[in-house]
Amino acid sequence: MGINKQQHRISIKPSVIKVIVLFCLCCLLTASCGQGANRSANSIGDNANNRVTIGTTLKLRTIDPADAYESLSGQLLRNLGDTLYTYESGTTKLIPHLATAMPKVSQDGLTYTIPLRQGVIFHDDTPFNAAAMEFSLQRFIKNGGSPAMLLSDAVESVKATGEYELTFQLKKPFAAFPSLLTFSGMCAVSPKAYEIGEGKFKPDTFVGTGRYKLAKYGSDSLKFDVFDKYWGEKPLNQGIDLLLLSSSSNLFNTFRTGAIDVAYLSLDVDQFRSLDEGAKKGKWQEIAGESSTVSYMTLNMKSQPLDKLEVRQAIAAAMDRPLINDRVLRGQGQPLYSLIPTTFDVQKPIFKELYGDANTAKAKELLTKAGYSATNPFVLQIWYPSASTKRALVASTMEALAKLKMDGIMQVEINSVEGPTLLQNIEKGIYPAVLVDWYADFFDADNYIQPFLDCATGSAAGGCEKGASQGQGSFYYNDRVNQLIDKQRKEPNPQTRKALFAEIQDILGQDVPFIPLWQDKDYTFAQNSITGVRLEPTQSFPFWFLKKQ
């Protein structure tokens, strides 16, 4: 969930687990995972053989839709709740969900009228209607949670204009608005179970309209029961048990010993390779999916000497993405040459076209032009979140490459800081260069451009003073880019939008406020007894298809 005013998500993603017989599982977990995992298993409940277990090493802060802004909470809310729109399984096709049709849009692009589904009820038996949907979205905006600005920045008002009709008035035209409405936190919640008011959150509660009801919320496990009054397609399983494991080794061991059904993130590279080898021998299944999570380097343009164009371009030319993918990621990603991932047809590999990979001759030429030499080297200070082993290895690889290939004209200095501290300080301009990643809020190319390059207040000379790029830590300002972002947001024609995105990416490659590095691949491992594991191209992991044979 990237870094901007919306709060960066240093993502890695979810996973799934299985409980066999309770006593047996406790023994297995005691043997392989330690007492913490054992306590999680003990709390899961009865009738485990008819349920599917899901486990993850991701941390869960809250499940309140108005405040949830991490990848795990988003995945859970997609299974517990319903939004106005969603995506057809296996595709990127936007379809109605709690809505019954795509919006009716006014000629000026400011008014969206949406018909709503009838016969839907909440988990507490409250009827769903337009008033309830209005309440849910008003709460999302007014309670002041981390993702509130996603809607408040775009919407002037949202009102029930009929018992089953909802009308939005936008502040300005936004072509990707229906895609924005798929954000998991914009799901319907029961007006009887929640309040509107600054900070009035319920982190361990969920009462919505989805396929599952939240039966238990604990510090190390959650329990989802099937909602038997669900209006649509029912789950193929009889419930989900989620374990929040303390480490990747716990996740690895519980899966390898057969104590869990599905392991869906996050595993270290060596653990992944071990399970990959087991899958090739038929011990379990490996399911791969293309991810839209992008990893990149932010360059602080207010930090000397990164304010010099030649220096930023030299760093871009020196990058060796194939080597990073091979040596560090072990093929579990793919080189990325734009901030927009390859899952979008508007993506243009501009950094490959302009700089290639490991173009050290060009990098040295640019640094020489900027006044650097072996006796006066350029020192690149790279920061990364200390909990990220992957980024530590990437930074070390960059340091080694500079020593080996740059003849002393460029040196790399590595620094780390705790993730929360990094996120709090990045918009203050403390770090010259930062290795981070971005897990999009909604599935549209705009969400890989506007949160990075847009700036509401600033100048070419002084940089961004207030806006998205300031929040990302680059302080980038380009008036033409601001105009192009505004145009593509207003443009309903996909081909015209594609041309606008192409020009934006051209300027991104020339100005280099960010350097794209790699795009993740998603992997899930499942026991052979499990069917229905799907990694959707829109970053969703639907639990309701999971089934035991």
Side-chain angles (χ1 to χ4, degrees), residues 7 43 71 110 114 124 180-181 236 303 315 325 335 338 340 354 430 447 449 463 479 538:
Q7 179 180 342
S43 64
S71 57
L110 293 175
I114 299 175
D124 62 358
L180 174 62
L181 295 176
L236 297 177
S303 173
I315 300 169
N325 189 52
S338 172
I340 300 175
L354 293 179
I430 291 175
N447 202 233
I449 292 295
D479 191 55
T538 52

Side-chain angles (χ1 to χ4, degrees), residues 44-282:
I44 283 180
D46 300 327
N47 204 22
N49 283 329
N50 297 319
R51 303 173 64 87
V52 174
T53 350
I54 300 177
T56 182
T57 60
L58 295 183
K59 307 303 179 186
L60 187 61
R61 178 181 63 87
T62 180
I63 205 166
D64 190 315
D67 194 36
Y69 206 34
E70 293 81 24
S71 57
L72 177 58
S73 56
Q75 292 290 3
L76 300 185
L77 288 173
R78 289 186 188 99
N79 285 277
L80 290 165
D82 294 322
T83 49
L84 289 169
Y85 296 97
T86 188
Y87 293 93
E88 187 177 278
S89 181
T91 76
T92 58
K93 180 184 177 183
L94 194 66
I95 58 172
H97 197 41
L98 286 179
T100 57
M102 299 307 292
K104 180 182 178 182
V105 186
S106 62
Q107 194 168 359
D108 63 5
L110 293 175
T111 305
Y112 281 65
T113 305
I114 299 175
L116 301 183
R117 191 175 296 279
Q118 300 182 31
V120 176
I121 62 170
F122 288 98
H123 298 156
D124 62 358
D125 290 331
T126 302
F128 168 81
N129 54 25
M133 196 71 230
E134 177 190 333
F135 169 87
S136 303
L137 297 174
Q138 291 284 8
R139 182 176 183 272
F140 182 88
I141 294 170
K142 294 180 179 179
N143 282 34
S146 301
M149 72 284 297
L150 287 175
L151 206 54
S152 62
D153 286 354
V155 171
E156 185 67 41
S157 66
V158 54
K159 295 180 180 178
T161 48
E163 188 176 2
Y164 293 100
E165 181 184 89
L166 195 68
T167 300
F168 291 91
Q169 193 70 27
L170 304 192
K171 294 179 178 179
K172 53 186 178 180
F174 184 26
F177 185 62
S179 296
L180 174 62
L181 295 176
T182 67
F183 179 72
S184 59
M186 297 179 200
C187 59
V189 295
S190 170
K192 287 187 178 180
Y194 295 90
E195 293 179 84
I196 293 178
E198 182 76 24
K200 291 186 176 180
F201 299 119
K202 293 188 172 184
D204 56 358
T205 299
F206 184 81
V207 183
T209 63
R211 292 173 175 85
Y212 296 100
K213 296 175 65 173
L214 180 64
K216 179 204 167 185
Y217 185 106
S219 60
D220 53 9
S221 65
L222 287 84
K223 181 176 179 179
F224 296 177
D225 290 344
V226 172
F227 181 39
D228 57 8
K229 297 179 183 178
Y230 185 64
W231 58 269
E233 180 184 6
K234 304 292 194 302
L236 297 177
N237 52 67
Q238 294 185 4
I240 298 292
D241 295 309
L242 179 73
L243 294 184
L244 305 176
L245 299 173
S246 60
S247 68
S248 61
S249 60
N250 281 357
L251 178 60
F252 173 72
N253 286 326
T254 51
F255 180 79
R256 193 168 52 90
T257 58
I260 64 175
D261 288 319
V262 186
Y264 168 70
L265 296 175
S266 54
L267 296 164
D268 289 342
V269 170
D270 289 341
Q271 294 163 351
F272 167 84
R273 289 174 70 87
S274 175
L275 293 185
D276 176 64
E277 291 173 3
K280 289 174 180 175
K281 296 176 181 177

Side-chain angles (χ1 to χ4, degrees), residues 364-402:
K364 286 184 277 190
E365 177 188 336
L366 287 162
L367 288 175
T368 301
K369 184 178 178 182
Y372 293 100
S373 64
T375 57
N376 178 36
F378 159 60
V379 180
L380 173 63
Q381 292 185 11
I382 297 178
W383 291 77
Y384 66 90
S386 55
S388 177
T389 304
K390 185 185 297 183
R391 279 161 186 77
L393 291 171
V394 169
S396 297
T397 301
M398 292 177 180
E399 180 185 33
L401 285 171

Side-chain angles (χ1 to χ4, degrees), residues 478-523:
N478 185 302
D479 191 55
R480 176 59 180 165
V481 169
N482 289 338
Q483 294 173 19
L484 290 167
I485 289 172
D486 190 54
K487 283 184 178 180
Q488 65 82 15
R489 289 193 136 204
K490 295 177 179 177
E491 180 55 57
N493 185 287
Q495 290 307 310
T496 306
R497 263 188 113 208
K498 185 173 184 177
L500 294 169
F501 279 123
E503 186 177 348
I504 292 171
Q505 291 171 93
D506 287 341
I507 299 172
L508 165 68
Q510 177 63 36
D511 290 352
V512 199
F514 303 91
I515 299 176
L517 297 174
W518 74 88
Q519 178 177 337
D520 282 351
K521 290 181 181 178
D522 276 345
Y523 292 92

